[in-house]
């Protein structure tokens, strides 16, 4: 079972605090003990694209391994999350050890390594001290936890935050607290572990400069209209128990625009979402537009920012005409993050 790690003040020694509370090694991160659960659900994953490589960021030697480990996960695991984890766990030191036995660049405990070990380089060995094995194993473990997070949308925290908490404290603690454990648990170790990693995701992600000529439009609002139901409002109207996006109150037939350039990955009926469009953007994030009366793009289309992709409506599970809008880390339900911080970081005035 994994434990919380904090970088010690010594140059090459890393201190971990174990899951067993009796060992009581304190995390060397300033705590923000608000007494609430969750690891910082206001954080978004807007910087989920390629990694920022270089001194003080991601070492070039490990960037490819991290990006491949993330790409091998079919649950939408951002490479920047894995990178931020490694930075926190070991400072990218493949020889890092701990007082309680955590080992290697991903700081696996021996028992956890036995479960998740990978022979990433095909040399016939599963070596926790070899980043070519440890980083794929970290990705495999996190991918499994991310799937669990997606299966519990009623829990407090986004799927990625739940996965990070499970990696740190064990999924049993996530189940116990129905989300990211609160700051009162284990002196805030897991709570702050999640917050620290989510805060460092953007730091370790390179700005998107890919500039696909076919999708070179800018970023903007999806519709001209006032905001309605906010993100994560609680209520029985939603199967998850809370609102997974934001609503724009607009009449049927209002033009809906792609908020930014990208590629259409879904266009058509979406069950309770009615007619919907989902667009993958160059930073690895997805935008979703639901309850549309008409869809005017097709799966596989490249779109520019501001392009009309359909018309608003009230198809699916809707109470009156509006646009339901989400930002997601993956194309599927349960990967939502707060849309407004994401759009604002793209320069959208909203």
């Amino acid at each position: 079972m994994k434990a919380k790690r904090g970088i010690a003040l010594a140059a090459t020694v890393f201190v971990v605090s174990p899951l067993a509370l009796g060992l009581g090694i304190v995390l060397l991160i300033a705590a923000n003990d608000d007494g609430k659960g969750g690891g910082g659900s206001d954080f978004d994953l807007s910087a989920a694209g390629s990694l920022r490589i270089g001194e003080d960021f991601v070492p070039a030697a490990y960037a490819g391994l991290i990006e491949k480990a993330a790409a091998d996960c079919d649950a939408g695991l951002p490479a920047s999350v894995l990178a931020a984890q490694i930075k926190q766990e070991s400072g990218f030191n493949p020889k890092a050890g701990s007082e309680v036995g955590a080992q290697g660049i991903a700081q696996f405990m021996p028992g956890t390594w036995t479960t998740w070990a990978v022979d990433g380089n095909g040399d016939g060995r599963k070596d926790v001290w070899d980043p070519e094995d440890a980083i794929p194993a970290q990705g495999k473990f996190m991918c499994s936890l991310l799937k669990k997070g997606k299966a519990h949308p009623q829990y407090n925290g986004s799927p990625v935050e739940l996965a990070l908490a499970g990696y740190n404290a064990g999924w049993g603690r996530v189940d116990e607290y129905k989300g990211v454990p609160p700051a009162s648990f284990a002196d805030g170790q897991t709570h702050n572990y999640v917050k620290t990693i989510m805060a460092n995701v953007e730091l370790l992600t390179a700005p998107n400069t890919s500039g696909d000529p076919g999708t070179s439009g800018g970023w903007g609002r999806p519709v001209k209209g006032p905001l309605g139901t906010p993100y994560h409002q609680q209520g029985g109207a939603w199967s998850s128990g809370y609102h997974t996006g934001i609503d724009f109150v607009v009449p049927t037939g209002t033009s809906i625009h792609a908020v930014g350039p990208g590629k259409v990955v879904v266009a058509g009926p979406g069950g309770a979402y009615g007619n919907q469009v989902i667009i993958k953007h160059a930073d690895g994030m997805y935008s979703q537009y639901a309850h549309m009366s008409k869809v005017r793009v097709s799966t596989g289309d490249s779109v520019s920012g501001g392009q009309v992709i359909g018309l608003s409506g009230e198809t699916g599970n809707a109470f009156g005409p509006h646009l339901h809008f989400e930002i997601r880390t993956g194309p599927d339900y349960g990967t939502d993050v707060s849309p407004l911080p994401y759009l604002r970081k793209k320069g959208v005035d909203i």
Side-chain angles (χ1 to χ4, degrees):
M1 190 177 286
K2 290 288 292 178
K4 183 73 183 103
R5 285 105 189 153
I7 299 178
L9 298 180
T12 59
V13 178
F14 292 83
V15 179
V16 299
S17 54
L19 295 178
L21 300 182
L23 295 180
I25 300 174
V26 178
L27 174 68
L28 297 175
I29 294 179
N32 176 21
D33 193 344
D34 56 10
K36 300 177 182 179
S41 58
D42 287 340
F43 289 113
D44 66 74
L45 295 177
S46 62
S50 61
L51 299 176
R52 188 189 297 271
I53 299 171
E55 187 176 356
D56 298 327
F57 300 111
V58 180
Y62 307 130
L65 291 171
I66 293 168
E67 290 183 338
K68 183 178 187 305
D72 285 344
C73 176
D74 59 359
L77 176 63
S80 49
V81 170
L82 294 181
Q85 270 188 290
I86 295 174
K87 181 178 176 67
Q88 177 64 20
E89 297 281 354
S90 69
F92 297 103
N93 180 4
K95 302 301 182 184
S98 77
E99 293 180 356
V100 296
Q103 300 173 329
I105 196 167
Q107 288 289 276
F108 274 99
M109 295 295 285
T112 311
W113 178 252
T114 299
T115 302
W116 297 101
V118 169
D119 178 13
N121 55 14
D123 65 358
R125 297 185 303 141
K126 299 178 180 179
D127 185 358
V128 71
W129 300 103
D130 187 343
E132 292 184 352
D133 294 343
I135 291 174
Q138 175 204 5
K140 180 181 176 183
F141 187 16
M142 275 293 292
C143 187
S144 173
L145 291 168
L146 182 57
K147 291 177 180 178
K148 288 185 177 181
K150 290 184 176 183
H152 293 83
Q154 76 277 19
Y155 280 7
N156 179 27
S158 69
V160 168
E161 290 172 319
L162 297 176
L164 290 169
Y167 190 93
N168 178 260
W171 188 260
R173 293 296 190 181
V174 178
D175 279 334
E176 177 183 351
Y177 289 100
K178 306 300 182 189
V180 178
S184 58
F185 168 75
D187 295 324
Q189 294 176 21
T190 300
H191 180 84
N192 285 289
Y193 177 83
V194 174
K195 291 189 75 168
T196 299
I197 289 171
M198 295 298 287
N200 281 328
V201 165
E202 187 170 0
L203 174 67
L204 298 181
T205 305
N208 171 37
T209 56
S210 57
D212 179 353
T215 59
S216 58
W219 288 79
R221 296 168 63 106
V223 292
K224 295 180 179 179
L227 289 169
T229 305
Y231 181 63
H232 271 200
Q233 178 167 311
Q234 305 290 311
W238 305 286
S239 59
S240 61
Y242 62 88
H243 195 225
T244 53
I246 57 175
D247 288 347
F248 291 86
V249 182
V250 290
T252 297
T254 302
S255 293
I256 298 173
H257 305 264
V259 293
K263 187 172 184 177
V264 177
V265 296
V266 173
Y273 285 114
N275 296 325
Q276 65 169 344
V277 170
I278 301 175
I279 297 171
K280 182 178 182 181
H281 302 286
D283 62 1
M285 301 293 280
Y286 296 75
S287 56
Q288 184 221 21
Y289 314 76
H291 307 310
M292 300 168 74
S293 60
K294 292 186 181 296
V295 173
R296 290 188 170 170
V297 290
S298 300
T299 300
D301 287 353
S302 291
V303 296
S304 59
Q307 179 176 330
V308 175
I309 58 173
L311 303 177
S312 63
E314 53 182 314
T315 57
N317 184 17
F319 301 95
H322 68 281
L323 171 66
H324 174 87
F325 175 78
E326 295 187 17
I327 292 294
R328 299 173 171 180
T329 63
D332 300 322
Y333 171 83
T335 61
D336 56 276
V337 298
S338 184
L340 294 183
Y342 176 84
L343 290 178
R344 287 166 182 159
K345 286 185 178 181
K346 295 293 187 181
V348 180
D349 183 13
I350 189 170

